[in-house]
Amino acid sequence: MAPPAPSITSDAITGRLSEIAAAVGTPCYVYDADAIRAAYATLDDAFGGYPHAIHYALKANSALAVVRLLHSLGSHADANSLGEVDVALRCGFRPEQIVFTGVGKSAAEIDRAVALGLLAINVESSGELDRIDQRAVAQGTVARVALRVNPDIDARSHPHISTGLRSNKFGVPIDEAPALFREMASRRGLTPIGAHVHIGSQITTLDPLTRAAEAVVALAQQLRAGGMALQHLDMGGGLGISYDGGPVVDPAEYVRALVDATRGSGLKVAIEPGRVLVGPAGVLLTRVVDVKQFPGAKRFVVVDAGMTELMRPALYNAYHRIEPVAPRAGESVVVDIVGPICESTDAYARDRRLPPVEVGDLIRVRDVGAYGAAMGHTYLRRPLSPEVMTEQGQWRVIRRRQTLDELLSLESE
Ligand code: LLP
């Protein structure tokens, strides 16, 4: 365990937040490019020369400017849909830098992934193995594949974002892996190049991650003993960040643990981090639109962002630090900070201490760089909010606010 990395976001760009909110309106997301650079460098440096590839998990935040930034840093890409594959290509990634995962790949997705010649299609089942083989043979090509194994390890994260137990839908049971690898090797349309594991997200203890790594290394060694050499071990993503300021796993320590687990095999390590690269780099700016007190009961601070801009509290009861950008003097009070959406689950925080606020005050919600805008939606016909990137004291809009006309443009009456 190490103390949490200081939230660079909070310090470097605080001075600009009021200016940004005034210019682009609220709600809006602000990402600090310098924080993303620093997070990438921490992971990359920790490999200390051991062969590796960092495949940024686009699902965390696939804003073109963010993906381009990661590409410019030397990252590779992890895509979970054809849309994400295309975003990665558009941002400069070559097909052989992209791994493609997905628990239910459509025929169109398989077809295109095979045609592109991605670094690896991560195979989720024996049926999918068949389908990829068939499409590759039909196209007269050979697809590089990795097998996603389910090691039955509890990530000890929120159950909604845990993926490594037998009761989760992901991958194939690890004890079935050797037979499936033999099967893949026997197919004309497939070349097995790796094993893949991803046991969950927002994992805050090292032990499950290390155990998952050890399980795939043991599998690779078993395969090698049987005459099959893999090229990489894809350890997935999942490293958690500190949403509440408490201690979490130090990213460098995490990388060193993976390398320690793998070194004996000599195999290249791939990882698919999302949250740890971009999460702490983002804030959501929102304004107070109402404050109301129920006599003898709750005090509500209603803000103009809600579950449409940040799903995490509603979906996982997730904690995000929330604070006024310019705190007023006075006693802090216990409030519920809620959004404007007509659902009771649309609350960012319950029974939270907040300095006094008034209608119009600017509030920031921290650590929304991952799974914030990426999971945004347009319920209640709320257009998507703008995204801003700051870099060395400068800022620019990387996505403007959607207009209602754009939102309705797909429809006819
Ligand atoms: N690789 C695979 C196969 C994944 O499924 C995921 C995340 C990642 C990598 C990246 O994981 P990360 O390093 O970001 O933890 N919406 C949830 C998180 C869902 C994660 C889904 N898979 C949240 O807001 O917490």
Side-chain angles (χ1 to χ4, degrees), residues 57 59 78 101 148 161 196 198 201-202 237-238 272-275 312 316 371 375:
K59 62 175 73 69
D78 162 39
T101 312
R148 178 171 185 175
I161 51 174
H196 175 228
H198 172 80
S201 195
Q202 185 52 18
E272 302 171 342
R275 190 186 317 263
R312 305 193 70 261
Y316 322 114
Y371 309 110
M375 296 172 75

Side-chain angles (χ1 to χ4, degrees), residues 67-68 71 75 86-95 97-98:
V67 178
R68 245 185 212 290
H71 176 260
S75 182
D86 281 329
V87 165
L89 293 171
R90 178 167 163 165
C91 293
F93 292 96
R94 288 176 280 113
Q97 295 178 313
I98 302 172

Side-chain angles (χ1 to χ4, degrees), residues 27-375:
C28 79
Y29 308 89
V30 183
Y31 310 128
D32 181 2
D34 301 314
I36 296 174
R37 272 179 218 285
Y40 185 85
T42 299
L43 285 184
D44 201 29
D45 293 349
F47 279 96
Y50 190 83
H52 69 279
I54 298 175
H55 289 260
Y56 170 56
L58 266 73
K59 62 175 73 69
N61 186 328
S62 56
L64 296 176
V66 170
V67 178
R68 245 185 212 290
L69 171 62
L70 268 307
H71 176 260
S72 77
L73 301 178
S75 182
H76 294 189
D78 162 39
N80 236 256
S81 67
L82 265 194
E84 287 188 353
V85 170
D86 281 329
V87 165
L89 293 171
R90 178 167 163 165
C91 293
F93 292 96
R94 288 176 280 113
E96 63 274 18
Q97 295 178 313
I98 302 172
V99 294
F100 180 37
T101 312
V103 76
K105 300 178 194 75
S106 68
E109 285 180 316
I110 292 175
D111 228 22
R112 182 148 155 81
V114 169
L116 283 167
L118 302 181
L119 173 64
I121 305 174
N122 290 328
V123 176
E124 294 266 353
S125 70
S126 60
E128 190 176 271
L129 180 162
D130 272 337
R131 292 187 285 276
I132 299 171
D133 180 44
Q134 279 164 17
R135 292 315 302 154
V137 170
Q139 291 183 26
T141 187
V142 178
R144 284 181 291 237
V145 286
L147 185 67
R148 178 171 185 175
V149 297
N150 182 321
D152 198 23
I153 290 172
D154 184 357
R156 296 205 293 272
S157 180
H158 190 283
H160 293 183
I161 51 174
S162 292
T163 54
L165 287 174
R166 254 173 198 282
S167 51
N168 301 129
K169 64 185 175 184
F170 300 94
V172 300
I174 195 161
D175 34 312
E176 291 175 15
L180 285 168
F181 269 104
R182 282 195 296 280
E183 186 60 34
M184 291 196 289
S186 75
R187 297 298 181 98
R188 223 169 8 121
L190 304 178
T191 305
I193 66 139
H196 175 228
V197 69
H198 172 80
I199 58 168
S201 195
Q202 185 52 18
I203 301 171
T204 54
T205 50
L206 194 51
D207 176 63
L209 292 160
T210 314
R211 285 197 293 129
E214 287 166 354
V216 282
V217 171
L219 171 64
Q221 274 161 342
Q222 186 186 344
L223 294 172
R224 182 180 289 168
M228 187 186 306
L230 299 180
Q231 290 166 31
H232 79 204
L233 298 179
D234 182 343
M235 308 298 196
L239 188 63
I241 61 172
S242 178
Y243 283 102
D244 62 1
V248 287
V249 177
D250 173 23
E253 195 185 328
Y254 156 72
V255 167
R256 285 193 294 270
L258 295 185
V259 171
D260 283 349
T262 317
R263 198 184 301 279
S265 73
L267 285 168
K268 179 173 171 176
V269 174
I271 54 172
E272 302 171 342
R275 190 186 317 263
V276 72
L277 289 177
V278 296
V283 295
L284 174 64
L285 294 180
T286 179
R287 274 193 204 282
V288 177
V289 289
D290 198 8
V291 180
K292 60 179 181 180
Q293 174 79 53
F294 283 16
K298 291 232 180 209
R299 186 174 179 81
F300 294 99
V301 172
V302 189
V303 294
D304 65 1
M307 61 197 286
T308 37
E309 287 69 37
L310 181 65
M311 284 284 277
R312 305 193 70 261
L315 265 186
Y316 322 114
N317 202 19
Y319 182 97
H320 284 260
R321 284 171 286 181
I322 301 175
E323 55 219 15
V325 169
R328 295 174 182 276
E331 275 290 294
S332 64
V333 273
V334 174
V335 297
D336 277 14
I337 303 161
V338 300
I341 315 291
C342 50
E343 309 255 350
S344 292
T345 187
D346 182 42
Y348 281 170
R350 297 184 203 274
D351 300 323
R352 184 81 65 88
R353 277 207 166 271
L354 196 70
V357 290
E358 292 178 14
V359 170
D361 283 3
L362 190 61
I363 303 276
R364 71 171 161 198
V365 183
R366 281 161 73 152
D367 305 307
V368 305
Y371 309 110
M375 296 172 75

